[in-house]
Each structure stands twice: as structure tokens, then as C-alpha cells.
Amino acid sequence: TILESINAEDPSFEGDGYTSLAVIYAVFAVCNWLAPSIISVTGPKIAMLIGAVTYCLFIASFLLPRTWLLYLASCVMGFGAAVIWTGQGNYLTLNSDSTTISRNSGIFWAMLQASMFLGNLFVYFQFQGKTQIDADTRLIVFIVLLVVAAVGIVFLLLLRPAQRADGELERREEGGPLNALKRAFVLLLTKEMLLLSITFFYTGIELSFFSGVYSPSIGFTKRMGENVKQLVGLSGIFIGLGEVVGGAFFGIMGPKTIRWGRDPIVMVGFLIHMASFFLIFLNLPNSSPFGDTDEAAFITSNAYVAILCSFLLGFGDSCYNTQIYSILGGVFPEDSAPAFALFKFTQSVAAAASFFYSSHLGLHAQLGILVVLAVVGTISFCFVEWAARSKKSKGYNGAIDDPDLSDGTMPNN
């Protein structure tokens, strides 16, 4: 909407939101392979600072809208996203142990997704009643976002140096950046990571669905009523609310989930997503992703059901992501940087694929893809969790036991 309003005022601006997202995700996917090497030199705190600065630059690029600048900033942000996501996963692991990783993952996810809730709430009120986003409104939005991002950088500067829960300072990667890259490739071929990659892929597909397909589909369903466009913003707010509630709940219940295991939470997320997919299938017409439509759904399209599904999508996503962070920190404690880099690589590839086919496939086909991947991804996650729990019960520390990774820099179970 913002890019369309800029283009309406300045025909020389040819920036496209989908192209910008494609550039971001493409660069993000490639740079995830470089992130462990960068972190091996800088450490996670500096890496997060570098990534945060690139986010500020991307936001600032909208203050001077130029087509070339938008795509250049998209490339820069793609690089920064790889560094900051891998860095924060590494930092979270280094400051957690097997008893606190689930709690810390939940708290982290709730704080992260609060931005989706508060950001959508802010934009909802800023854009309310506007059919065209004028320059003054855009300026207010981007200045506020830039100030918030700058404050975030200040808080990153105040973080303590990354250290293990037992007080030891982080161990720098032995062998330097090239060895970190090699370890990422070796880690990718382990049985645990191959199985988890299916779960990662599912989270990427459902991420692009709820962030780029579902909310606009609500707005395109004209049978929702005259004010259907306002539901797009509300949908984003309730997706964020579901994420925050889920992350906060699993953070508070962290000690309990350690005893129960991670698989029950992922299974809850699976059931919630299945329920939401079924309700969406009934409530929205198949053609809703493509533009305004008068097509009838299987039931009378209902705004309350649509917003309920938004909340369920967010809550279910928090079930998966909090436990992915937890299992990566628990199963790969000495390789958290490459593990999180592989997670974001797989997720970004999946998101890019989804953004490609979402403009060609109807809603029902997209829901079918989500259902199949949810089933397979949940089963593969449970296999890894059960294997890790079995090792722990036999006296192992829960980390992977792979001879290719035990080269003097890796833990030997």
C-alpha cells in the first residue's frame, strides 16, 4: 500500500513490494551460509549490531524513495537479516543451559513478536480512513520505525558479552571463518538436521502464508462487508497477539515444558494450525488471494471467524518456533551459530518459494500444501526430540553424536 501510494505520487518510482521481498529473501538465503563465519570473527553481539544497523538503513531508504535505492537497501537488509538472526540464536544458546533454553526461547519469541502486534496496531490507526497513504503519514510512520530501531540498537549495546550459563566466556570458533563454513555444511548432512529441515521448511511456508497471503485474502473477500479492508490491519494485529501470547505462555511454562518435552507443544501447534486451515478453507473463497472477489465460500464468510483464524495462526506459529529455538540450542549447543543459520536458510528458501507460487495457486491448493508439510514437519520434529530425549536418559548430554563433527572442536558424547 505504501509503495503503491509512492508510485501514484511519483511515476518515476517503480519499486515493487513483492520484488523487494524476493530480493531480501534471496540475499538472506545466500548469506545464511556466511553468517557462521562472520560470527566466528565478531561474536554474536557485534553480529547483531551489524544486522540492526542494516534494518535502520532499509527503513531510512523510504525517506528518499528511489527505485534503485529500494532494491539496494533490500540487498543490504537481506545480508543483515542473516547475520542478526543467526547471531541472536547463537547468543540465546550461549546464555542458556538445558534447563533454561525453553523458557528463554519463549520469552525471546514473545518480545520479538510484540513488534508485529504493536507495529500493526500503530499502522492500523495511522492508516484508518485513508484510501491513499499521503506523504506526511508515510513520513510519520517511517520516522517512528527508525526511532524504535535506533533505540533497539542502544539496548543491543547494553547487552553483556555472550557467556555460557555456567559463567564461562563464549568459545570462539577454532579454525576461523573457513572452518565455521565447513562445519555448517557437515552439520547440514547430519540425520537430525535433515529431519529438522522439513520442519524448518514448513515454518517458512506458513510464515509467508500468514504474512503475505491470508490477511490480504480477507480484504479481497467482498462478502465480508463494506469495511472489509479494515480487517486486513486487524488480522495482522491478532496474528501478532497470538504470537505474543504463545511466546509468553511458553516462556512462563518453561520449567514445565522441560519435564514434558518439546513434542507436546509442537503437537498443540499442529492441531491449532489444522483447525485454522480448516476454518479458512470454509470461510474464504478459493479466488481470494488474487484480488477483490464476490465468489461464495463454503459457508457465509464471517469476519469474526477470519480474525479468530488470524489469532490461531499466530499462536500455532509460536508453538513451532519457540520449540525450534529450544531444540537447536539443546541438540546443537556447541554449533548453535551454524544450526541457526541452516534454520533461517531453509526457512527463507521456503518463504521465497511460497511467495512465488502464492500468486498462481488458489487458496485451497495453498492450504493443501500447508497441511501436507505440517504433518511431515511435525513428525520429523518429534523423531529428533524423541532421539535427543533417549540419549539424555542414557547419560548423554542431548547433543548430536556425529564423528564428522568431533574434530577436536566439537563435543564428544
Side-chain angles (χ1 to χ4, degrees):
T1 303
I2 287 180
L3 292 179
E4 290 175 356
S5 65
I6 295 174
N7 191 34
E9 294 178 8
D10 182 7
S12 65
F13 180 78
E14 299 177 348
D16 176 71
Y18 285 107
T19 304
S20 174
L21 281 172
V23 171
I24 290 172
Y25 275 104
V27 176
F28 183 25
V30 172
C31 290
N32 272 307
W33 289 100
L34 304 177
S37 299
I38 294 171
I39 292 172
S40 73
V41 175
T42 65
K45 180 178 177 179
I46 299 300
M48 289 189 290
L49 285 169
I50 293 171
V53 169
T54 68
Y55 276 62
C56 288
L57 294 175
F58 180 77
I59 297 171
S61 70
F62 287 92
L63 300 176
L64 185 65
R66 298 289 186 274
T67 304
W68 65 269
L69 183 59
L70 171 66
Y71 295 134
L72 176 61
S74 298
C75 290
V76 172
M77 182 176 167
F79 165 78
V83 175
I84 196 171
W85 277 101
T86 305
Q88 63 195 16
N90 183 225
Y91 186 87
L92 182 68
T93 303
L94 290 171
N95 286 281
S96 305
D97 57 28
S98 60
T99 63
T100 60
I101 185 66
S102 291
R103 180 202 66 191
N104 294 347
S105 297
I107 293 172
F108 162 74
W109 194 253
M111 294 173 65
L112 170 69
Q113 295 302 329
S115 64
M116 178 182 289
F117 171 68
L118 297 174
N120 276 292
L121 195 62
F122 167 66
V123 171
Y124 174 76
F125 286 111
Q126 282 294 314
F127 291 177
Q128 195 170 31
K130 297 180 183 289
T131 56
Q132 191 75 14
I133 311 304
D134 58 87
D136 290 339
T137 302
R138 294 198 304 266
L139 183 63
I140 292 173
V141 169
F142 290 125
I143 287 179
V144 169
L145 292 177
L146 195 57
V147 169
V148 172
V151 172
I153 290 178
V154 173
F155 277 100
L156 285 176
L157 288 169
L158 298 177
L159 289 176
R160 69 183 185 185
Q163 58 184 19
R164 298 199 179 282
D166 59 8
E168 294 182 14
L169 292 176
E170 63 177 293
R171 174 184 57 82
R172 292 280 189 236
E173 302 280 358
E174 296 182 17
L178 288 178
N179 188 55
L181 180 61
K182 172 190 171 185
R183 289 161 66 137
F185 278 104
V186 172
L187 190 63
L188 176 64
L189 299 178
T190 61
K191 180 179 67 175
E192 290 86 353
M193 187 57 73
L194 289 173
L195 286 170
L196 286 174
S197 293
I198 304 173
T199 313
F200 301 162
F201 197 86
Y202 168 65
T203 62
I205 296 293
E206 57 102 1
L207 165 67
S208 60
F209 177 77
F210 73 67
S211 63
V213 176
Y214 180 62
S215 294
S217 295
I218 296 175
F220 291 143
T221 305
K222 296 172 71 174
R223 289 176 179 256
M224 289 277 190
E226 294 182 359
N227 298 322
V228 66
K229 298 300 180 184
Q230 293 185 2
L231 295 178
V232 176
L234 280 177
S235 174
I237 291 171
F238 275 85
I239 290 171
L241 182 62
E243 297 273 17
V244 172
V245 170
F249 177 77
F250 299 130
I252 294 171
M253 297 295 290
K256 301 289 185 182
T257 60
I258 289 295
R259 186 166 69 249
W260 297 334
R262 305 175 184 97
D263 45 310
I265 296 175
V266 169
M267 290 178 183
V268 168
F270 169 78
L271 293 175
I272 288 175
H273 271 179
M274 290 300 102
S276 64
F277 295 155
F278 180 66
L279 290 173
I280 292 168
F281 175 79
L282 295 177
N283 195 47
L284 297 183
N286 187 48
S287 60
S288 57
F290 304 132
D292 289 337
T293 178
D294 287 310
E295 181 185 351
F298 288 102
I299 62 173
T300 302
S301 296
N302 185 284
Y304 293 104
V305 174
I307 298 303
L308 171 64
C309 290
S310 299
F311 179 84
L312 295 178
L313 287 172
F315 190 89
D317 183 65
S318 72
C319 293
Y320 280 95
N321 278 281
T322 55
Q323 300 317 299
I324 285 174
Y325 269 76
S326 177
I327 201 169
L328 290 179
V331 177
F332 308 101
E334 301 297 328
D335 279 285
S336 57
F340 280 98
L342 291 172
F343 165 41
K344 301 312 295 185
F345 167 75
T346 309
Q347 193 178 60
S348 60
V349 168
S354 178
F355 278 122
F356 172 75
Y357 72 64
S358 61
S359 59
H360 302 284
L361 296 181
L363 180 65
H364 297 167
Q366 295 189 47
L367 290 172
I369 292 171
L370 284 164
V371 168
V372 171
L373 288 174
V375 171
V376 180
T378 302
I379 292 172
S380 63
F381 181 95
C382 290
F383 278 152
V384 177
E385 169 66 8
W386 294 337
R389 196 184 306 165
S390 175
K391 285 185 178 181
K392 189 172 182 179
S393 67
K394 295 176 181 177
Y396 294 97
N397 60 11
I400 62 171
D401 187 15
D402 193 294
D404 292 327
L405 295 177
S406 299
D407 57 0
T409 64
M410 302 298 302
N412 286 307
N413 290 334

